[in-house]
Amino acid sequence: MLLRYKKAYEKIAMGLLSYMPGEKSVKKLQETITQYETEENYQLFLLKQDEDFIGIVGIKLEEDAYVVMHLSVNPSFRGEGIGSEMIAKLSELYPHLECKSTRDTESFMKKCREKEEGADQ
Ligand SMILES: CC(C)(COP(=O)(O)OP(=O)(O)OC[C@H]1O[C@@H](n2cnc3c(N)ncnc32)[C@H](O)[C@@H]1OP(=O)(O)O)[C@@H](O)C(=O)NCCC(=O)NCCS
């Protein structure tokens, strides 16, 4: 289940975001969280499985698209399809918008697209 970020999730969100390249310092993490808290077009979601928050995905909404800015999964749960599941859930939430990536997220997003195309054939 994808849950919208709220202040009560701040610490767990920062912990998950810290797995992203470029989000290693506390200062940078705080700036990133503040951006998601204050800028309307920045949206952050956490993935909850049973009682645990195991993944996070952050997007920037544009006019006709959303850009996947941040995506990470708790290392104990990687390789189980959680990352691709979050990408799939975003496309269900925003079916009319194009999905874009950043330099940090593009290689995984490409992998997701390839898997999807493989599944369609
Ligand atoms: C990237 C990440 C979110 C993937 O989450 P996940 O739940 O393990 O992903 P899935 O189980 O859906 O998919 C796993 C597949 O993606 C591949 N993969 C993982 N990271 C990748 C990357 N950065 N680029 C391309 N492929 C990647 C795995 O090798 C695996 O491939 P396989 O299915 O052929 O074995 C996770 O590895 C992570 O949190 N990494 C640290 C954060 C990060 O670097 N984020 C930036 C990239 S989005």
Side-chain angles (χ1 to χ4, degrees):
M1 184 180 22
L2 269 193
L3 299 172
R4 257 175 213 279
Y5 171 82
K6 55 184 179 185
K7 192 74 182 169
Y9 303 152
E10 185 177 20
K11 286 206 167 64
I12 185 79
M14 281 172 75
L16 287 165
L17 285 171
S18 72
Y19 297 119
M20 284 293 299
E23 297 287 341
K24 299 298 172 204
S25 78
V26 174
K27 184 169 175 281
K28 179 70 178 72
L29 282 167
Q30 273 162 348
E31 284 168 9
T32 299
I33 282 285
T34 302
Q35 189 167 44
Y36 282 113
E37 285 174 347
T38 56
E39 291 182 36
E40 224 169 277
N41 58 327
Y42 279 76
Q43 303 280 328
L44 192 59
F45 302 90
L46 287 99
L47 187 87
K48 195 172 185 186
Q49 188 174 275
D50 303 322
E51 288 312 302
D52 299 313
F53 290 100
I54 58 172
I56 195 160
V57 60
I59 59 168
K60 179 170 78 172
L61 286 168
E62 296 179 341
E63 205 168 316
D64 307 320
Y66 56 92
V67 186
V68 179
M69 308 293 294
H70 294 95
L71 178 71
S72 91
V73 170
N74 177 316
S76 312
F77 294 88
R78 288 189 193 157
E80 297 177 12
I82 307 286
S84 354
E85 184 187 332
M86 288 194 286
I87 297 303
K89 284 198 187 313
L90 279 180
S91 66
E92 287 168 20
L93 268 181
Y94 301 104
H96 305 302
L97 300 183
E98 186 193 343
C99 174
K100 294 186 186 170
S101 49
T102 64
R103 204 178 49 187
D104 285 340
T105 59
E106 71 181 344
S107 97
F108 182 70
M109 303 285 293
K110 184 165 172 270
K111 174 114 201 175
C112 287
R113 272 194 303 275
E114 284 166 3
K115 273 195 186 170
E116 224 172 82
E117 281 159 15
D120 286 347
Q121 282 162 18

